[in-house]
């Protein structure tokens, strides 16, 4: 039996942020970072004139449990009927954590259990508004929290975290710098390819993934260069990233993400870069289980009848990484052999322990985790 497919109400297109005027709740908590607060704070206050609005703008990149708990305490005092998370993945993940801490009462953040229903909607509604185009966090039941004591990034999930509504207004992404456009866009592509290659997909997630992959290959390089100020190009990438988010939120990811989480946690590499640098190696490693899926992906890119679909898809991803001027190996991330060696056991441990390793199409042994890391460090094609 497969899981039901969950999709929030989606408002999309230029100007869709205005839809917030139609939400009638009287007490509204906005969760964001200081940059987005400056950018849209006045606009949001204008939408909610005559109602009580509180802005919690302490979101930071790689959000820590302490900030999420602080936001939960703010919500418990303020008692919002509507919680809005606006920003990148960190803001949306923090909003989800606050929504959980406020909505369910006495549990701690790390008590969150994907098997339990919390009925969070009884206390408030959640609306998520991405201002980057990539994480897909607006659609997923999960969030990533960095533990302040260990530095480890941990994934938590509850289906109650899927919001009531998502707003996709590409106007919010026009000011994204190139580096952020590339990193978040590559996260979206990695997610779409991992979801399309995974064991838990279905016809619906496949349809979403294949379209997202096609659009991202075509428009991400344009959005990173000459099309950066073209709102229709931005809209294509913004929607494709969110479409991939619906897909992987309903089907899961794989080891490009578990390896990437470990790299990000240990070396503070931006998430999209840490997962995309692993993607070609993971495509090659998953070959024995994923050939059919790779053929489908290549077909949607109008590439038919190649002898080695895994090698072709991996090389297409590498070509895209080159075009976008991002690293093709872990060494190219600027990690010295000494730092690499010193942190190697931690990287292996964290990767083995990541829940996404368990749902990868090909389960790697500990020895294979070590080898994949070494090959990816050196930039060698996987041959095992
Ligand atoms: Fe991701």
């Amino acid at each position: 039996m497969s899981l039901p497919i969950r999709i929030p109400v989606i408002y999309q297109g230029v100007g869709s942020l205005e839809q917030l005027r139609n939400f009638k709740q009287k007490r509204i908590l906005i969760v964001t970072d200081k940059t987005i607060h400056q950018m849209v704070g006045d606009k949001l206050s204008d939408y909610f004139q005559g109602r009580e609005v509180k802005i919690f703008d302490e979101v930071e990149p790689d959000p820590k449990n302490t900030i999420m708990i602080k936001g939960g305490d703010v919500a418990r005092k303020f008692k919002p009927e509507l919680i809005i998370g606006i920003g990148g993945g960190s803001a949306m993940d923090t909003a989800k954590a606050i929504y959980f801490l406020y909505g369910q009462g006495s549990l701690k953040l790390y008590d969150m259990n994907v098997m339990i229903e919390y009925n969070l909607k009884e206390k408030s509604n959640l609306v998520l508004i991405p201002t980057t185009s990539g994480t897909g966090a607006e659609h997923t039941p999960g969030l990533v929290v960095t533990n302040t004591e260990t530095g480890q990034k941990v994934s938590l999930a509850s289906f109650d975290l899927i919001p009531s509504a998502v707003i996709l207004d590409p106007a919010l992404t026009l000011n994204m710098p190139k580096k952020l456009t590339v990193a978040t866009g590559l996260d979206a592509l990695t997610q779409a390819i991992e979801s399309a290659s995974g064991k838990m997909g279905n016809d619906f997630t496949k349809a979403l993934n294949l379209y997202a992959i096609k659009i991202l290959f075509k428009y991400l390089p344009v959005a990173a260069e000459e099309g950066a100020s073209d709102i229709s190009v931005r809209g294509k990438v913004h929607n494709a990233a969110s479409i991939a988010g619906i897909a992987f939120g309903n089907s899961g990811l794989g080891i490009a993400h578990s390896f990437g989480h470990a790299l990000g946690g240990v070396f503070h590499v931006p998430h999209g870069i840490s997962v995309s640098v692993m993607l070609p190696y993971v495509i090659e490693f998953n070959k024995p289980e994923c050939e059919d899926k790779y053929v489908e992906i290549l077909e949607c890119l109008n590439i038919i009848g190649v002898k080695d679909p895994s090698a072709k898809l991996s090389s297409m991803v590498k070509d895209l990484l080159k075009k976008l001027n991002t690293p093709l190996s872990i060494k190219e991330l600027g990690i010295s052999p000494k730092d690499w060696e010193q942190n190697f056991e931690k990287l292996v441990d964290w990767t083995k322990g990541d829940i996404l390793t368990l749902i990868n199409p090909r389960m790697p042994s500990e020895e294979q985790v070590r080898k994949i890391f070494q090959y990816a460090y050196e930039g060698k094609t996987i041959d095992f």
Side-chain angles (χ1 to χ4, degrees):
M1 197 177 73
S2 63
L3 291 168
I5 295 163
R6 298 167 169 91
I7 305 177
V9 173
I10 299 170
Y11 302 98
Q12 59 88 39
V14 181
S16 52
L17 190 64
E18 292 269 334
Q19 290 290 340
L20 282 175
R21 293 183 191 278
N22 300 326
F23 289 81
K24 299 300 177 203
Q25 288 88 346
K26 294 200 170 62
R27 300 173 68 78
I28 298 146
L29 176 65
I30 297 168
V31 179
T32 191
D33 60 39
K34 296 209 163 38
T35 309
I36 303 293
H37 184 174
Q38 259 190 346
M39 205 170 95
V40 296
D42 289 349
K43 203 183 237 188
L44 297 182
S45 300
D46 176 53
Y47 292 162
F48 299 128
Q49 263 181 28
R51 292 179 268 170
E52 279 188 73
V53 177
K54 191 168 199 65
I55 301 186
F56 178 75
D57 68 358
E58 297 184 35
V59 171
E60 290 171 351
D62 302 324
K64 297 182 179 69
N65 49 342
T66 44
I67 296 289
M68 292 176 174
I69 291 163
K70 187 174 176 188
D73 291 341
V74 168
R76 282 185 187 124
K77 275 192 200 127
F78 181 63
K79 300 191 184 351
E81 295 166 356
L82 177 64
I83 297 175
I84 297 173
I86 179 166
S90 301
M92 293 188 282
D93 279 3
T94 305
K96 286 175 175 177
I98 293 170
Y99 177 60
F100 171 78
L101 289 168
Y102 170 59
Q104 53 67 40
S106 58
L107 291 177
K108 299 214 164 29
L109 189 57
Y110 288 102
D111 293 333
M112 191 187 298
N113 182 334
V114 74
M115 305 305 288
I116 296 174
E117 254 188 59
Y118 297 105
N119 299 318
L120 303 178
K121 282 194 177 70
E122 284 177 8
K123 273 198 176 169
S124 65
N125 278 285
L126 180 66
V127 173
L128 296 177
I129 308 169
T131 60
T132 60
S133 308
T135 70
E138 66 275 18
H139 288 295
T140 66
L143 65 88
V144 181
V145 52
T146 299
N147 187 312
T148 35
E149 279 163 29
T150 61
Q152 185 172 9
K153 288 186 174 190
V154 177
S155 304
L156 301 172
S158 161
F159 288 105
D160 291 59
L161 298 185
I162 293 177
S164 304
V166 164
I167 298 177
L168 301 172
D169 190 336
L172 293 167
T173 70
L174 277 177
N175 294 323
M176 251 202 300
K178 179 177 172 173
K179 266 193 168 174
L180 191 58
T181 303
V182 168
T184 51
L186 285 173
D187 185 22
L189 181 71
T190 307
Q191 284 158 182
I193 291 179
E194 287 217 279
S195 171
S197 314
K199 289 187 287 195
M200 293 160 67
N202 52 55
D203 284 346
F204 291 85
T205 58
K206 187 190 290 183
L208 297 165
N209 279 322
L210 294 182
Y211 182 76
I213 291 167
K214 190 184 176 85
I215 294 298
L216 289 166
F217 263 108
K218 184 170 176 184
Y219 287 102
L220 181 54
V222 188
E225 297 292 347
E226 70 274 15
S229 57
D230 181 336
I231 202 153
S232 67
V233 169
R234 289 288 191 177
K236 284 282 184 199
V237 176
H238 204 45
N239 281 352
S242 206
I243 287 167
I246 301 171
F248 89 83
N250 283 285
S251 71
L253 293 167
I255 55 171
H257 269 76
S258 36
F259 279 72
H261 287 156
L263 280 175
V266 173
F267 296 114
H268 307 292
V269 180
H271 173 75
I273 300 300
S274 69
V275 296
S276 65
V277 76
M278 293 305 305
L279 183 60
Y281 307 98
V282 170
I283 290 170
E284 291 159 10
F285 175 74
N286 285 340
K287 174 179 170 166
E289 301 294 332
C290 294
E291 287 281 59
D292 294 357
K293 309 257 174 66
Y294 295 161
V295 169
E296 284 174 345
I297 293 171
L298 291 170
E299 277 174 1
C300 92
L301 297 168
N302 292 326
I303 295 161
I304 315 274
V306 290
K307 264 197 187 148
D308 187 343
S310 157
K312 178 66 185 171
L313 185 59
S314 168
S315 82
M316 287 183 70
V317 171
K318 285 180 189 164
D319 288 346
L320 182 67
L321 297 179
K322 268 185 227 158
K323 203 180 210 175
L324 296 170
N325 211 14
T326 62
L328 288 138
S329 69
I330 296 173
K331 199 193 271 176
E332 285 178 21
L333 292 169
I335 296 161
S336 71
K338 190 177 160 210
D339 282 347
W340 182 242
E341 242 169 68
Q342 274 179 352
N343 288 286
F344 193 73
E345 290 309 315
K346 196 196 265 188
L347 287 166
V348 172
D349 258 14
W350 286 6
T351 303
K352 275 191 316 180
D354 193 302
I355 190 159
L356 296 174
T357 301
L358 301 176
I359 60 167
N360 193 62
R362 182 182 175 198
M363 175 78 80
S365 65
E366 179 172 335
E367 192 47 37
Q368 285 169 329
V369 170
R370 289 171 185 280
K371 274 177 91 174
I372 294 167
F373 260 136
Q374 291 297 14
Y375 275 53
Y377 185 80
E378 299 290 343
K380 280 164 60 181
T381 303
I382 300 283
D383 55 5
F384 52 90

